């Protein structure tokens, strides 16, 4: 395993940090974006690490996300020690005080229409990505730049990396998309064709509109001067006219049409080195995109790193900062630090109480034993024995669910990889939403709940709307389903259909005596007492009669329903 454990420091004395605020970056259409630039005071040409987004370059992490800040400090007590005061920490971006001393320029850009950057606020639009390309080209030609720009950041700051890298900016040299979607429709907006509105309904007002340029009601103040982080105040009328209505646009585009496609990169066009970092605990936003990005990026040099925990803590942990720096030291500085010998896949293999890190050479793992576990509706079991008799079981879509449970595992068993589900279903109506949840229980029947990217989470999840069952055969593989989402195909009431459902990848070592349970229901799965964030409750999308009926699941020799588990043989 070549993964570093501590950040590698340059042999020279640490560089002194210079902070330049509200630096102007010209765009090709005459607009100007504002950026914060942190660079070494010592003359020279240095590599650049950059992020551009809508969350406010001057909003301190603690001011914008107080609970997460407090949790991060508990998890990482040295966050504001050992070389960093934490003064410049911003949500989901790097800490300049930990990068500039190692000879990097750090740039944080307010996207057009956000923070200090005037203009029309249109998140995730083609114009925003064109601006990002212009900002990269600007950074690559400054007197303090060595002409190599790397991109790094979490979530929004990761999703935009995939897109701008596909434009191939001249000075872009490497990217580190950390937990960020690459497919605007499938990873984020519509899970299996079902609109995901829970996150969007809070994200839009709290993280976007609060940071719109000119928002005089923003709750955020720049800690340097006490002024609003959004610049001079504009009227409510002008603010409304100066932004898109992103949630409404999302609702208008229920199929994977041109609007979604222009917000989704052609991953094959990405040519720069990639370190894609995903989270096993991120089904719904921070998982699928990183694996798909890694697999489909055109880059000759690319790496996948999968971790656990909340979506922000790993990014700031010393061992992961070391990983980021080793990658950038090699590709932005040209240091012969051994990164080129790093295996292409670095995995946190999840356990019931933590993780182990392991290097691999491909994903999915070549030694995977793809094993079918059949659903037996007659006795609610899930096992490797193929059914010999037909059976069915049903549930009311909005009130009930079905559970299929394995026998206790006889030996410790690892599953790591994709999990396709073939399930035969009928509905009393002309459509049905399926929410599939894979869960883990100990010998006493207690469920194992994992600390996920956004919220407590089961092992993993999947979704599919029956009318979106059309599969894109060109993009699909035997172990990974890819739905087209380009037309609505209603079903006939009472007629059984085979549906291929994509349950998002996962990793877990199942102890002896533990059981897996597959829960199938017609609404969001939530733990008792815990309100989920990544929910699908938009009445305009799910309120019709088609989603209020009775759903029936079938099993048997002619209608075999089965879950395919990626079992990894024990070493030796």
């Amino acid at each position: 395993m070549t993964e570093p454990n501590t950040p590698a420091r340059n042999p020279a004395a640490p560089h002194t940090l210079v902070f330049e605020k509200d630096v102007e970056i010209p765009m090709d259409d005459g607009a100007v974006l504002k950026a914060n630039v942190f660079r070494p005071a010592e003359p020279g040409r240095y590599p650049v690490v950059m992020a551009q987004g809508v969350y406010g370059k001057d909003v301190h992490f603690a001011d914008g996300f107080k609970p997460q800040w407090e949790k991060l400090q508990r998890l990482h007590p040295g966050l504001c020690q050992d070389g960093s005061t934490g003064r410049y920490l911003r949500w989901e971006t790097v800490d300049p005080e930990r990068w500039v001393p190692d000879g990097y320029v750090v740039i944080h850009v307010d996207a057009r229409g956000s923070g200090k950057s005037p203009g029309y606020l249109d998140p995730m639009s083609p114009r925003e990505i064109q601006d990002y390309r212009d900002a990269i080209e600007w950074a690559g030609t400054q007197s303090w730049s060595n002409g190599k720009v790397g991109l790094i950041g979490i979530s929004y700051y990761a999703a935009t990396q995939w897109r701008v890298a596909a434009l191939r900016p001249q000075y872009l040299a490497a990217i580190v998309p950390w937990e960020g979607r690459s497919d605007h429709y499938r990873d984020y907006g519509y899970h299996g064709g079902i609109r995901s509105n829970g996150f969007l309904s809070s994200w839009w007002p709290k993280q976007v509109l609060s940071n719109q340029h000119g928002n005089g009601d923003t709750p955020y103040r720049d800690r340097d001067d006490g002024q609003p982080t959004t610049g001079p105040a504009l009227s409510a009328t002008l603010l409304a006219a100066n932004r898109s209505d992103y949630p409404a646009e999302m609702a208008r585009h229920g199929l994977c049409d041109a609007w979604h496609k222009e917000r989704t990169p052609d991953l094959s066009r990405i040519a720069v080195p990639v370190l894609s970092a995903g989270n096993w605990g991120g089904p719904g936003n921070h998982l699928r995109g990183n694996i798909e990005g890694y697999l489909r990026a055109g880059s000759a040099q690319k790496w996948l790193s999968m971790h656990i925990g909340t979506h922000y803590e790993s990014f700031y942990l010393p061992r992961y900062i070391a990983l980021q720096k080793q990658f950038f030291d090699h590709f932005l500085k040209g240091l012969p630090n051994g990164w080129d010998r790093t295996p292409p896949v670095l995995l946190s293999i999840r356990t019931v109480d933590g993780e182990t890190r392991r290097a691999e050479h491909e994903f999915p793992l070549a030694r995977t034993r793809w094993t079918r576990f059949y659903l037996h509706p007659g006795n609610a079991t899930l096992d490797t024995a193929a059914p010999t008799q037909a059976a069915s079981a049903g549930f009311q879509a909005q009130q009930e669910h079905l559970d299929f449970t394995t026998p206790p595992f006889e030996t410790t068993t690892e599953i790591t990889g994709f999990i396709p589900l073939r399930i035969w279903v009928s509905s009393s109506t002309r459509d049905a939403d399926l929410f599939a949840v894979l869960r883990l229980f100990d010998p006493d029947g207690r469920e194992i709940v994992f600390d996920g990217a956004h919220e407590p989470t089961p092992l993993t999840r999947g979704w599919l709307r029956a009318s979106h069952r059309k599969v894109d055969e060109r993009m699909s593989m035997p172990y990974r389903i890819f739905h087209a989402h380009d037309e609505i195909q209603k079903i006939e009431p009472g007629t059984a259909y085979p549906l291929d459902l994509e349950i998002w990848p996962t990793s877990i070592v199942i102890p002896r005596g533990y059981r897996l349970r597959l829960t199938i229901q017609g609404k969001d799965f939530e733990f008792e007492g815990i309100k989920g964030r990544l929910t699908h409750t938009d009445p305009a999308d799910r309120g019709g009669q088609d989603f209020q009926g009775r759903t029936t699941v079938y099993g048997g020799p002619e209608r075999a329903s089965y879950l395919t588990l990626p079992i990894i043989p024990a070493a030796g």
Side-chain angles (χ1 to χ4, degrees):
M1 185 74 179
T2 61
E3 218 172 330
N5 292 314
T6 56
R9 306 289 295 190
N10 288 343
H15 293 278
T16 304
L17 183 150
V18 170
F19 174 27
E20 297 178 293
K21 195 180 189 71
D22 294 338
V23 175
E24 296 188 348
I25 302 179
M27 300 291 105
D28 64 354
D29 64 350
V32 173
L33 303 189
K34 297 293 184 68
N36 288 344
V37 177
F38 306 84
R39 59 179 178 82
E42 295 81 353
R45 292 184 177 273
Y46 303 97
V48 175
V49 291
M50 173 182 274
Q52 175 183 293
V54 297
Y55 296 162
K57 67 180 177 60
D58 297 315
V59 179
H60 193 279
F61 193 139
D63 298 336
F65 298 88
K66 188 174 185 291
Q68 293 89 338
W69 170 259
E70 292 173 347
K71 181 174 182 178
L72 183 58
Q73 287 191 305
R74 291 194 301 270
L75 292 168
H76 183 21
L79 183 69
C80 298
Q81 303 170 12
D82 306 324
S84 175
T85 65
R87 174 185 176 188
Y88 304 117
L89 272 166
R90 304 294 185 258
W91 177 248
E92 299 183 334
T93 59
V94 301
D95 181 356
E97 290 182 299
R98 296 199 181 277
W99 285 79
V100 172
D102 281 336
Y104 284 93
V105 175
V106 174
I107 301 178
H108 190 174
V109 185
D110 277 337
R112 186 181 299 224
S114 71
K116 299 286 185 62
S117 295
Y120 188 78
L121 176 64
D122 194 5
M124 305 182 197
S125 65
R127 178 67 253 182
E128 180 188 49
I129 302 307
Q130 175 64 52
D131 288 348
Y132 206 170
R133 182 171 70 176
D134 291 350
I136 292 167
E137 303 298 66
W138 174 87
T141 58
Q142 299 308 296
S143 61
W144 32 254
S145 172
N146 74 348
K148 292 184 180 295
V149 177
L151 308 181
I152 186 170
I154 310 172
S155 193
Y156 195 102
Y157 297 105
T160 53
Q161 289 181 53
W162 297 113
R163 294 180 60 199
V164 74
L167 297 183
R168 299 185 177 180
Q170 179 180 351
Y171 298 102
L172 183 61
I175 63 172
V176 181
W178 202 274
E179 296 193 34
R181 59 190 172 271
S182 56
D183 188 315
H184 189 263
Y185 187 93
R186 295 168 182 83
D187 297 345
Y188 165 68
Y190 287 80
H191 297 137
I194 308 169
R195 186 179 306 150
S196 178
N197 65 302
F199 175 76
L200 184 60
S201 64
S202 61
W203 172 79
W204 180 247
K206 176 176 171 53
Q207 293 181 244
V208 181
L209 297 188
S210 63
N211 289 306
Q212 183 181 359
H213 178 74
N215 182 358
D217 294 326
T218 181
Y220 306 126
R221 294 294 181 271
D222 190 327
R223 290 190 174 190
D224 294 330
D225 57 19
Q227 296 299 307
T229 58
T230 50
L234 301 176
S235 69
T237 300
L238 188 53
L239 282 174
N242 221 23
R243 63 178 182 246
S244 68
D245 189 344
Y246 180 77
E249 286 296 319
M250 181 73 80
R252 277 194 286 268
H253 297 276
L255 293 174
C256 189
D257 58 11
W259 187 79
H260 288 285
K261 289 178 179 178
E262 70 179 4
R263 287 159 176 78
T264 299
D266 178 352
L267 293 166
S268 68
R269 284 189 46 80
I270 297 176
V272 297
V274 176
L275 172 57
S276 176
N279 190 329
W280 292 126
N285 201 4
H286 287 162
L287 167 58
R288 183 185 186 279
N290 284 99
I291 291 177
E292 289 292 318
Y294 165 75
L295 291 175
R296 293 165 54 197
S299 308
Q301 298 172 293
K302 56 184 180 179
W303 287 261
L304 174 67
S305 178
M306 297 298 298
H307 54 263
I308 63 173
T310 66
H311 81 279
Y312 51 88
E313 68 184 72
S314 64
F315 186 76
Y316 297 100
L317 293 177
R319 65 170 171 166
Y320 287 116
I321 294 176
L323 186 72
Q324 299 156 12
K325 285 184 179 178
Q326 187 184 9
F327 176 78
F328 277 147
D329 281 352
H330 184 75
F331 289 110
L332 303 188
K333 295 182 178 180
L335 296 183
N337 59 7
W339 180 267
D340 54 326
R341 298 189 298 276
T342 299
V345 177
L346 305 168
L347 302 178
S348 287
I349 305 301
R350 190 160 50 176
T351 64
V352 295
D353 56 1
E355 63 173 319
T356 59
R357 291 288 284 178
R358 191 172 75 209
E360 297 286 351
H361 292 282
E362 73 286 315
F363 192 89
L365 307 187
R367 63 185 183 280
T368 302
R369 294 177 181 168
W370 301 99
T371 306
R372 289 183 179 180
F373 279 68
Y374 292 89
L375 282 64
H376 295 265
N379 59 8
T381 59
L382 180 69
D383 61 41
T384 56
T388 59
Q389 294 183 334
S392 64
F395 61 93
Q396 291 297 326
Q398 295 299 318
Q399 291 84 34
E400 301 171 331
H401 66 272
L402 294 177
D403 287 332
F404 300 89
T405 306
T406 66
F409 278 77
E410 296 179 357
T411 60
T412 298
T413 303
E414 177 189 334
I415 60 172
T416 295
F418 296 100
I419 305 178
L421 171 63
R422 160 61 67 95
I423 187 168
W424 281 82
V425 169
S426 70
S427 174
S428 62
T429 61
R430 299 200 65 224
D431 211 339
D433 284 346
L434 294 184
F435 294 73
V437 188
L438 192 59
R439 306 158 69 187
L440 181 64
F441 290 81
D442 73 10
D444 295 323
R446 291 187 294 263
E447 183 164 6
I448 307 303
V449 180
F450 298 93
D451 194 4
H454 290 277
E455 59 197 4
T457 181
L459 190 56
T460 189
R461 310 172 190 244
W463 307 261
L464 183 63
R465 176 161 289 174
S467 60
H468 283 246
R469 65 190 178 278
K470 180 181 175 182
V471 171
D472 185 332
E473 300 291 351
R474 181 182 61 87
M475 293 295 295
S476 294
M477 292 173 277
Y479 50 78
R480 197 272 271 119
I481 304 302
F482 197 97
H483 291 97
H485 299 299
D486 59 2
E487 63 175 313
I488 302 296
Q489 298 179 334
K490 292 289 188 177
I491 60 178
E492 290 298 322
T495 300
Y497 294 82
L499 306 181
D500 291 300
L501 194 148
E502 177 191 13
I503 295 181
W504 285 22
T506 195
S507 176
I508 185 65
V509 176
I510 304 169
R512 181 176 180 272
Y514 282 59
R515 300 171 185 257
L516 285 177
R517 178 173 297 166
L518 177 66
T519 296
I520 304 292
Q521 57 189 53
K523 62 178 181 178
D524 287 301
F525 172 86
E526 295 178 298
F527 292 111
E528 186 175 354
I530 301 175
K531 177 64 177 174
R533 295 186 65 202
L534 300 174
T535 52
H536 309 74
T537 57
D538 188 341
D541 183 59
R542 303 201 63 242
Q545 290 300 311
D546 277 354
F547 308 106
Q548 314 297 319
R550 182 171 181 81
T551 304
T552 302
V553 174
Y554 299 85
E558 303 300 321
R559 294 173 175 170
S561 296
Y562 53 86
L563 186 73
T564 302
L565 292 182
I567 294 179
I568 309 303

